[in-house]
Amino acid sequence: MTAKPVNLTEALASFTDVYSPRIVARMNDYDVRVAHTRGEHVWHTHADTDEFFLVLDGRFDIALRDADGHEHTVVLYRGDTFVVPRGTEHKPSSPGGSILMFEPSGTLSTGDVPDGAIPAHVDRTAGHELE
Amino acid sequence: MTAKPVNLTEALASFTDVYSPRIVARMNDYDVRVAHTRGEHVWHTHADTDEFFLVLDGRFDIALRDADGHEHTVVLYRGDTFVVPRGTEHKPSSPGGSILMFEPSGTLSTGDVPDGAIPAHVDRTAGHELE
């Protein structure tokens, strides 16, 4: 028994909320998730895992803060891939777009949030099932 | 020190050989690889890992053989994702296209080939570096 193919365009068309990842595939103990992006995400860290991003459409920025507190932003467009290393504080933002993510199952979308304040438009989730 | 973004279109434009994956990103102990596809791959199995495919362009078919020896083929187009479960004998083929794969670093492109016969146009590799 094998799972059926999932088309990313159809998956993204099945929901509209931003920063609320859907799980499109599972392989080993990892998830492949997709999300719509718009607005500011929140500064957070994943202490135990890297996080892979592929921009499917639009633009997606990732601000990164190094151990010294210096910040820089990586600007990504369709087809760009980027890995945020584990333990690196980061904050996504986007004028609008969609992304694919690869990360261990159970990884929370907001990781560890330094000050605990998560905006209402950002979903704290380990990913939702596709419907 | 973080890695730079890698654009998938540029990565694919940097080489032309088919069935010879390039590693575009590493996250944890996994690779993200891209490959051009054309012609018949070879029946093989990955005993210890699932394998994730995303079709970036063109068409990519995966023939699957179940434990009873029955075969069926999954036909994939741009934007389609599919996971081949560990231990499942499979053979990709394509009239032309390109794919993205997630798999543990070190996974061989041809896994375990039952009869050991690998066509000349299929590269047995754990992925090459981008140049």
Side-chain angles (χ1 to χ4, degrees), chain B:
Chain B
M1 183 62 194
T2 54
K4 288 184 180 176
V6 173
N7 182 273
L8 296 184
T9 304
E10 292 174 11
L12 285 163
S14 73
F15 66 103
T16 58
D17 38 340
V18 304
Y19 295 131
S20 184
R22 262 60 172 182
I23 298 169
V24 294
R26 290 181 170 84
M27 66 91 65
N28 299 340
D29 50 353
Y30 279 70
D31 292 345
V32 181
R33 305 178 188 171
V34 295
H36 298 290
T37 63
R38 184 179 295 276
E40 303 284 312
H41 204 273
V42 62
W43 282 104
H44 66 283
T45 304
H46 303 284
D48 299 323
T49 183
D50 301 339
E51 197 170 26
F52 171 85
F53 295 93
L54 164 63
V55 179
L56 297 173
D57 211 358
R59 172 176 158 180
F60 182 66
D61 297 351
I62 306 177
L64 300 154
R65 195 178 274 157
D66 70 19
D68 296 329
H70 296 118
E71 295 179 11
H72 76 282
T73 298
V74 176
V75 177
L76 305 171
Y77 296 94
R78 182 190 180 99
D80 285 340
T81 66
F82 189 74
V83 176
V84 175
R86 67 183 66 196
T88 302
E89 204 177 357
H90 60 287
K91 188 187 78 164
S93 65
S94 171
S98 55
I99 56 171
L100 176 148
M101 291 163 283
F102 290 134
E103 45 202 337
S105 299
T107 302
L108 282 172
S109 56
T110 51
D112 308 310
V113 178
D115 62 6
I118 298 173
H121 67 279
V122 173
D123 188 11
R124 182 169 173 82
T125 177
H128 299 278
E129 298 300 315
L130 269 183
E131 289 181 7

Side-chain angles (χ1 to χ4, degrees), chain A residues 87-108:
Chain A
T88 301
E89 202 176 359
H90 60 287
K91 187 187 77 163
S93 65
S94 171
S98 56
I99 56 172
L100 176 149
M101 287 163 285
F102 183 55
E103 49 198 334
S105 299
T107 302
L108 281 171

Side-chain angles (χ1 to χ4, degrees), chain A residues 30-44:
Chain A
Y30 279 69
D31 292 346
V32 179
R33 305 178 188 172
V34 295
H36 298 290
T37 62
R38 183 178 296 276
E40 303 285 312
H41 203 273
V42 62
W43 282 104
H44 67 283

